[in-house]
Amino acid sequence: MSEILNVPQIFGSDVFNEATMRQRLPARIYNAWKECIETGSSLPLDVANEIADAMKIWALEKGATHYTHWFQPMTGITAEKHDSFIVPTGDGRVIMDFSGKELVRGEPDASSFPSGGLRATFEARGYTAWDPTSCAFVKDNSLYIPTCFFSYTGESLDKKTPLLRSMDEVSREAIRILRLFGDHETKRVIPCVGAEQEYFLLPKDLYAQREDLRLTGRTLFGAQPPKGQELDDHYFGAIRTRVSSFMKDLDEQLWRLGVLSKTKHNEGAPCQHELAPIYSDANSACDSNQLIMEIMKKCAAKHNLVCLLHEKPFAGVNGSGKHNNWSLSTDTGKNLFSPGKTPRQNAQFLVFLAAFISGVDEYQDFLRSTAASAGNDCRLGSSEAPPAIISIFLGEELDGVVRSIIDGTNYKEPEKSLLRIGVDVLPNIPKDTTDRNRTSPLAFTGNKFEFRMLGSSQSIAGPNIALNTIMAEQLGRLADELEKAPDFEVALQHLVCKLLTEHQRIIFSGNGYSDEWKVEAHRRGLSNYPSAAECLPTYVSQKNVDLVVRHGVFTEAEFRARYAIHLESYRKIIGIEARTMVDMAVHQILPAAMRYARDLSTGVQNKQNLGVSCRADMEILRKISAASDALYDAVETLKTNLNRVPQDQEATCYYHDVIRMDMKNLRVQADLLEELTDKSYWPYPTYSDLLYY
Ligand code: ADP
Ligand code: MG
């Protein structure tokens, strides 16, 4: 019988969390740390020293021998460099030591992290600084210290710093609004995030046989299997044993690390699954999501599985996304997107709602850009994931409310006069409507917004930085107006109505997958960027630069560095994929098809000598030869075009327009050959093998 897991006991047991700090630190030190967190001030060295010492003793008890500053460079994943605690005593022995200085500041050799031009090569140093708002933890015999990463000249080189800055901004502006509504208690407003993570699991041995999976994380070839996901028999289906033992293990590891892993189930595609944690503040949610992705991969390996986080591992079945649920909460736990019970609470809710709707409309390109990547291009807009057009789904009830405010007409009950903000009570808005519009990229789900565009491998920092900053901007503008208004109620009614009217084009309840929506969206003047190559340039439009600089979330140089890195990674990824295709086509696919053709032709000759019919053999042989020729030509074209990549700005479009198209043509021929070729000749596992192991 397996041991019973005491979840409350193990939860957070590997985290130097608040409870542990309270228990292990002198009250004076604990309070000083608390105060730093609340005021955002930096830690005095004597306090840091005492925390470091307590942290070290705790980590050693947990088996740690090393410590590492854990950070989130602009690549979107995490980085770490481990130092042991050893210090020589001079007599051939060592003691384990860890100082406050080592806790708060580090200097990893950062020269090979992308800097987007922020760091000249002669000054390649990067620094890390402890983020005391996220907890340290022990994993694989190391003490992990979550840190911010920045350059010698102080520019942020990571995803965490701008996220923290954006959280401060939205808090500051939201509080201005709350004060206007008579809330004098709230000290901080916190963006809350719950990110649902989709992923695929494959058997390790099959994965190892495919170069495309190993090098690019997705299949670049593969004919459609006889069965896809048309029966929908995987979604929420019973979880197979190997997978469920993986999930059990995963949960346990995550719980030990204080990750609030809550929900697990099978997803739409065969071999696809999802994990959702309970939401937390955006910063912790971002750390947690990084841990989730990392532990998923490690844990899968332990179970002889491979976890694929790519947005589109298989053509023809659903890809993987990451649903980013976002809301704003006060430090006293009030959700600012919960419609209230009184007219005054409702008015406040409508202010936040109007700020959100208008902000998303005005900065739709910014938000869209945060989900733009080579991997996500394979998924967005293909009738399984949201379209590439940003719009907001509000649900029938809230839609009705917004409509009545815009039109100045009656809401539902005809005898009632028009909805007066701050006077009338809103109709009941259900928290969990089952008929939620799954085709919407951004849906209101009762008390939060669910952003569904993000790809499964992407950091959640991007969209949350955008949502926080956009919201800060709109709330700030509203506060400017409302603070100076002679009549608050009148100004409120006027401003909310004005914003909703001006930005109503972003609200859409229909089928986002349909072609009509593309036409309609165009008519409404909404942006539609089907690919990252088309979308990314809008990221650094003057409007967006002004926004992020105005709020101190990025300096212009920092922002442009992100842009440069996104473009570079887009080009690199497509380049690697294209070269992998060439390699597989030349060294595996063509030789397999040729071997089969050769054996077929020997068979044909023998049969002809014997005077028996060889019509089928001949037909297959002919088709294989034709497809082989076409494949050969396609490879040659791709190779030639890969040698012609322009060096300048045009490279991104070239990869999108030319290379991706060549890859598509090559794949068509390869998949045709796969369908024609005897399976025993085929060089790697097929979709059937992979998806129905
Ligand atoms: P689903 O979207 O699959 O129906 P839920 O709506 O229950 O699932 O929750 C999805 C995610 O949203 C979870 O991570 C959950 O913790 C998170 N969530 C719930 N409420 C909020 C909120 N107020 N703010 C941010 N995230 C939230
Ligand atoms: Mg969801």
Side-chain angles (χ1 to χ4, degrees):
M1 223 183 79
S2 64
E3 256 177 79
I4 294 171
L5 193 66
N6 186 337
V7 180
Q9 197 179 355
I10 64 147
F11 187 85
S13 59
D14 292 342
V15 185
F16 197 67
N17 53 25
E18 201 170 327
T20 309
M21 287 174 103
R22 201 182 316 116
Q23 194 193 345
R24 290 188 172 240
L25 293 172
R28 181 181 66 84
I29 300 295
Y30 173 79
N31 290 334
W33 167 76
K34 269 296 257 195
E35 186 168 331
C36 285
I37 301 237
E38 274 155 20
T39 58
S41 56
S42 61
L43 227 47
L45 191 63
D46 64 315
V47 176
N49 276 332
E50 291 225 30
I51 295 179
D53 202 50
M55 222 184 233
K56 180 200 72 183
I57 294 168
W58 172 83
L60 293 179
E61 286 167 18
K62 296 269 162 204
T65 53
H66 290 68
Y67 69 93
T68 178
H69 276 202
W70 186 61
F71 57 102
Q72 302 178 17
M74 296 184 280
T75 49
I77 51 170
T78 56
E80 48 198 70
K81 181 190 99 179
H82 301 259
D83 282 301
S84 71
F85 290 117
I86 60 164
V87 172
T89 50
D91 59 356
R93 293 176 305 158
V94 295
I95 52 159
M96 300 299 251
D97 192 43
F98 185 50
S99 69
K101 237 167 82 189
E102 287 166 316
L103 166 65
V104 295
R105 202 171 160 91
E107 191 183 327
D109 174 17
S111 49
S112 36
F113 292 109
S115 76
L118 278 181
R119 223 175 22 204
T121 33
F122 61 84
E123 189 31 277
R125 262 183 298 173
Y127 296 88
T128 48
W130 183 34
D131 160 23
T133 62
S134 16
C135 299
F137 54 92
V138 167
K139 186 168 77 70
D140 307 324
N141 304 104
S142 268
L143 170 66
Y144 280 72
I145 301 153
T147 57
C148 295
F149 181 43
F150 53 90
S151 75
Y152 179 71
T153 44
E155 276 124 349
S156 146
L157 296 171
D158 69 350
K159 302 241 171 203
K160 189 189 259 287
T161 311
L163 178 61
L164 290 169
R165 292 173 183 160
S166 73
M167 289 169 72
D168 285 346
E169 274 303 282
V170 73
S171 173
R172 193 174 58 77
E173 301 288 12
I175 284 175
R176 288 177 66 196
I177 299 287
L178 295 184
R179 296 288 182 265
L180 286 165
F181 279 93
D183 171 345
H184 297 285
E185 285 79 57
T186 301
K187 286 210 223 77
R188 199 168 163 82
V189 167
I190 303 142
C192 293
V193 173
E196 305 163 52
Q197 176 73 48
E198 292 182 330
Y199 60 100
F200 278 81
L201 286 178
L202 292 182
K204 208 197 275 180
D205 53 333
L206 296 179
Y207 164 90
Q209 294 170 48
R210 290 203 54 140
E211 189 179 345
D212 49 3
L213 284 176
R214 282 187 287 113
L215 298 191
T216 72
R218 71 167 172 129
T219 57
L220 298 167
F221 297 107
Q224 285 302 302
K227 176 182 167 179
Q229 62 184 70
E230 52 277 85
L231 295 178
D232 279 331
D233 50 355
H234 192 254
Y235 192 55
F236 279 53
I239 299 169
R240 55 178 130 192
T241 325
R242 179 150 35 149
V243 171
S244 82
S245 65
F246 155 85
M247 287 176 168
K248 182 167 171 271
D249 198 1
L250 175 65
D251 270 343
E252 184 178 336
Q253 292 190 48
L254 291 174
W255 289 334
R256 284 186 189 282
L257 291 168
V259 174
L260 294 155
S261 172
K262 173 78 172 168
T263 311
K264 51 185 179 188
H265 59 78
N266 285 351
E267 261 299 327
C271 300
Q272 192 187 26
H273 314 279
E274 182 185 295
L275 183 149
I278 297 173
Y279 70 95
S280 56
D281 73 272
N283 182 32
S284 315
C286 189
D287 287 353
S288 291
N289 185 254
Q290 291 290 353
L291 274 176
I292 288 171
M293 292 195 284
E294 188 189 316
I295 307 249
M296 272 179 172
K297 291 193 163 172
K298 284 206 177 134
C299 189
K302 239 174 76 186
H303 291 260
N304 276 318
L305 295 163
V306 171
C307 170
L308 300 180
L309 292 173
H310 194 280
E311 282 76 14
K312 193 74 179 176
F314 302 97
V317 298
N318 281 3
S320 298
K322 183 134 57 186
H323 289 178
N324 188 84
N325 294 273
W326 178 93
S327 69
L328 291 175
S329 165
T330 64
D331 50 4
T332 51
K334 269 186 261 148
N335 182 338
L336 299 175
F337 285 106
S338 274
K341 293 199 174 59
T342 64
R344 199 153 181 91
Q345 287 167 351
N346 287 330
Q348 186 186 297
F349 162 74
L350 288 170
V351 167
F352 280 87
L353 182 74
F356 186 88
I357 290 172
S358 58
V360 168
D361 181 40
E362 190 166 339
Y363 294 102
Q364 49 184 288
D365 301 349
F366 184 21
L367 194 54
R368 165 69 183 91
S369 297
T370 65
S373 74
N376 217 15
D377 273 6
C378 309
R379 161 183 171 266
L380 286 183
S382 62
S383 298
E384 40 138 327
I389 307 163
I390 298 263
S391 67
I392 302 176
F393 173 78
L394 291 178
E396 201 184 321
E397 291 76 13
L398 194 53
D399 219 32
V401 171
V402 167
R403 236 350 68 232
S404 87
I405 294 171
I406 292 172
D407 297 346
T409 54
N410 304 346
Y411 177 76
K412 284 208 174 146
E413 299 129 83
E415 70 278 7
K416 237 181 116 182
S417 62
L418 70 106
L419 200 131
R420 287 153 309 160
I421 297 163
V423 181
D424 291 328
V425 179
L426 292 186
N428 186 34
I429 293 169
K431 209 164 147 201
D432 220 351
T433 38
T434 39
D435 60 339
R436 273 195 241 167
N437 188 336
R438 290 268 152 206
T439 70
S440 176
L442 187 47
F444 182 72
T445 50
N447 59 4
K448 63 184 191 288
F449 283 93
E450 184 171 352
F451 181 61
R452 301 179 178 137
M453 254 189 190
L454 199 62
S456 48
S457 71
Q458 296 182 287
S459 162
I460 63 168
N464 290 305
I465 291 170
L467 289 170
N468 295 343
T469 312
I470 291 169
M471 200 62 189
E473 170 71 12
Q474 302 307 101
L475 290 173
R477 286 188 206 169
L478 276 163
D480 287 346
E481 295 287 326
L482 290 171
E483 280 165 0
K484 63 172 191 241
D487 185 328
F488 181 67
E489 305 284 333
V490 171
L492 198 64
Q493 176 84 30
H494 169 71
L495 280 170
V496 169
C497 180
K498 181 167 172 279
L499 281 180
L500 292 177
T501 307
E502 283 171 5
H503 297 280
Q504 55 181 306
R505 63 172 185 171
I506 199 78
I507 301 168
F508 176 62
S509 318
N511 178 6
Y513 295 169
S514 70
D515 286 331
E516 293 86 72
W517 170 230
K518 291 193 188 117
V519 178
E520 166 67 10
H522 179 72
R523 195 193 57 76
R524 294 189 188 187
L526 298 176
S527 305
N528 181 5
Y529 302 109
S531 75
E534 290 150 285
C535 180
L536 282 174
T538 68
Y539 184 65
V540 283
S541 67
Q542 197 55 49
K543 187 170 75 172
N544 294 340
V545 172
D546 291 346
L547 173 77
V548 297
V549 172
R550 187 158 55 244
H551 289 277
V553 171
F554 293 103
T555 64
E556 181 160 354
E558 286 172 347
F559 197 54
R560 292 198 181 277
R562 266 77 186 169
Y563 171 61
I565 288 170
H566 291 317
L567 287 184
E568 193 186 329
S569 114
Y570 178 83
R571 297 192 291 251
K572 279 186 180 159
I573 286 169
I574 297 182
I576 292 168
E577 287 181 348
R579 290 191 298 275
T580 305
M581 288 186 90
V582 170
D583 197 47
M584 288 174 77
V586 172
H587 297 116
Q588 299 183 22
I589 301 171
L590 261 184
M594 285 171 173
R595 254 194 322 271
Y596 183 44
R598 187 194 58 208
D599 291 352
L600 274 174
S601 49
T602 318
V604 166
Q605 274 173 354
N606 292 346
K607 280 186 170 182
Q608 277 170 343
N609 289 344
L610 293 171
V612 292
S613 162
C614 52
R615 191 162 56 84
D617 317 48
M618 280 300 286
E619 277 303 312
I620 296 173
L621 185 55
R622 249 188 228 114
K623 284 183 187 162
I624 289 206
S625 299
S628 299
D629 289 347
L631 180 78
Y632 178 79
D633 292 342
V635 173
E636 286 302 305
T637 307
L638 178 54
K639 273 163 64 180
T640 309
N641 287 336
L642 275 173
N643 285 328
R644 286 186 189 153
V645 176
Q647 286 306 312
D648 47 16
Q649 293 291 330
E650 285 151 48
T652 309
C653 286
Y654 183 86
Y655 272 109
H656 173 257
D657 299 341
V658 179
I659 302 294
R660 273 247 151 122
M661 204 42 76
D662 292 344
M663 289 165 63
K664 212 166 153 186
N665 294 335
L666 175 54
R667 177 172 185 154
V668 170
Q669 299 308 327
D671 293 355
L672 184 61
L673 276 175
E674 184 188 319
E675 283 170 354
L676 293 166
T677 304
D678 175 343
K679 189 159 167 38
S680 64
Y681 289 75
W682 204 247
Y684 46 74
T686 63
Y687 270 28
S688 285
D689 300 331
L690 292 168
L691 291 171
Y692 301 96
Y693 64 89

